[in-house]
Amino acid sequence: MTLPAHEMKRLRDVAGNDVELKALVGRRLAGTPLQYLEGTAAFGPLDLVVDQRVLIPRPETEQLWELAADLIAEPRRIVDLCTGSGALAIALSRSFPQAQVWGTDLSDEAIDVATLNGARYEARVEWCSGDLFAALPGELEGSIDLLVSNPPYVSDSEYADLPEDVRREPKMALVSGPTGLEVYERIAATLGTWLAPAGTFAFEIGETQADAVRRLFAAFSPEIRRDLAGRDRFVVGVKT
Ligand SMILES: C[S@@+](CC[C@H](N)C(=O)[O-])C[C@H]1O[C@@H](n2cnc3c(N)ncnc32)[C@H](O)[C@@H]1O
């Protein structure tokens, strides 16, 4: 088995010598994602540190950042639930330099990577470890102007069919539970108490989840938005 020329070029740029290159090629052929071998991943203008502790940010999530940044003119308080590498929180802190921004994750290891990336870009983001909203300081309740999230939304059965290199990413970053909707259900249960009046949200969703997610967030005038390939990949809504 050989690697495509563009991947070989990228690994040559990382390797210090032929022995290292051979080792990297071996790991890539065994399924390690290219970005883990390089140690970084592009997210819009950002070059984020990534390793096996975090999901590699995807192009769709860049679209979520752009979409969220257009939803509201001057958010004062922004939260990114399930921040992983910190991609959305850091990008939004740069889109809205006047806003206070929080990024949360259940994984302490992910928070370590997000903190590293935040420092790399001198981002003014508070990193909080914990389960969804429980990670946030209580005084934020009722005052979030913009909430974003790319939560785990793969079901247990879908996980088994994912490609080998995707399954090298943290399972807890991908799998939500038996249906794939569990994390949205938990977010929907308390979303109304955390958003400010007229607070808005934008979440990434799986392409088959639009109907279920529309029902879950029915109290927030939900709208489904499409990605560049025309797939239903985002839900946005507002607290009225
Ligand atoms: C799909 S990844 C998204 C990472 C990042 N936002 C991105 O788009 O690249 C989901 C993240 O949610 C975190 N996570 C899983 N369950 C969680 C929970 N109950 N509370 C907070 N974070 C959770 C995982 O550790 C992982 O970092």
Side-chain angles (χ1 to χ4, degrees):
M1 265 206 301
T2 53
L3 293 177
H6 71 278
E7 290 202 11
M8 279 304 292
K9 178 179 180 318
R10 282 168 63 172
L11 290 182
R12 260 190 220 105
D13 290 345
V14 179
N17 53 48
D18 284 352
V19 175
E20 278 178 27
L21 179 62
K22 198 170 167 207
L24 288 170
V25 169
R27 290 174 63 197
R28 178 70 191 117
L29 288 171
T32 304
L34 193 55
Q35 292 90 336
Y36 285 171
L37 297 174
E38 294 177 309
T40 59
F43 187 79
L46 308 174
D47 193 32
L48 298 171
V49 170
V50 291
D51 58 30
Q52 71 290 343
R53 293 174 290 177
V54 291
L55 186 100
I56 297 161
R58 305 291 203 269
E60 292 85 347
T61 312
E62 280 184 46
Q63 223 187 310
L64 176 62
W65 158 47
E66 289 167 354
L67 186 162
D70 278 345
L71 281 180
I72 178 166
E74 287 183 11
R76 286 173 307 136
R77 292 179 157 185
I78 301 173
V79 169
D80 172 21
L81 290 181
C82 306
T83 197
S85 62
L88 285 166
I90 296 169
L92 286 167
S93 77
R94 291 160 67 92
S95 302
F96 298 107
Q98 311 307 328
Q100 289 180 284
V101 183
W102 286 261
T104 81
D105 206 286
L106 185 58
S107 157
D108 290 341
E109 290 192 323
I111 288 294
D112 288 343
V113 177
T115 303
L116 193 68
N117 281 318
R120 195 173 159 99
Y121 286 99
E122 297 181 0
R124 293 153 305 89
V125 179
E126 295 283 330
W127 303 110
C128 308
S129 181
D131 183 19
L132 299 178
F133 292 106
L136 293 169
E139 62 266 26
L140 263 186
E141 208 170 316
S143 74
I144 299 171
D145 300 305
L146 176 61
L147 179 76
V148 296
S149 186
N150 175 22
Y153 54 73
V154 171
S155 71
D156 290 335
S157 58
E158 287 167 339
Y159 180 73
D161 294 331
L162 291 177
E164 170 63 25
D165 53 353
V166 177
R167 282 191 285 124
R168 295 291 180 105
E169 297 180 85
K171 190 172 180 184
M172 72 180 284
L174 296 161
V175 177
S176 166
T179 67
L181 294 167
E182 290 81 357
V183 179
Y184 300 118
E185 286 165 0
R186 295 185 56 225
I187 291 174
T190 53
L191 179 61
T193 63
W194 286 90
L195 287 178
T200 62
F201 66 84
F203 304 146
E204 191 164 318
I205 63 170
E207 63 182 284
T208 61
Q209 294 175 324
D211 288 343
V213 159
R214 215 184 261 116
R215 280 195 296 275
L216 274 177
F217 296 101
F220 301 90
S221 313
E223 283 176 33
I224 301 297
R225 302 280 177 91
R226 295 196 167 140
D227 67 10
L228 297 173
R231 298 169 303 183
D232 292 339
R233 291 304 309 274
F234 313 101
V235 60
V236 302
V238 61
K239 179 175 167 179
T240 47

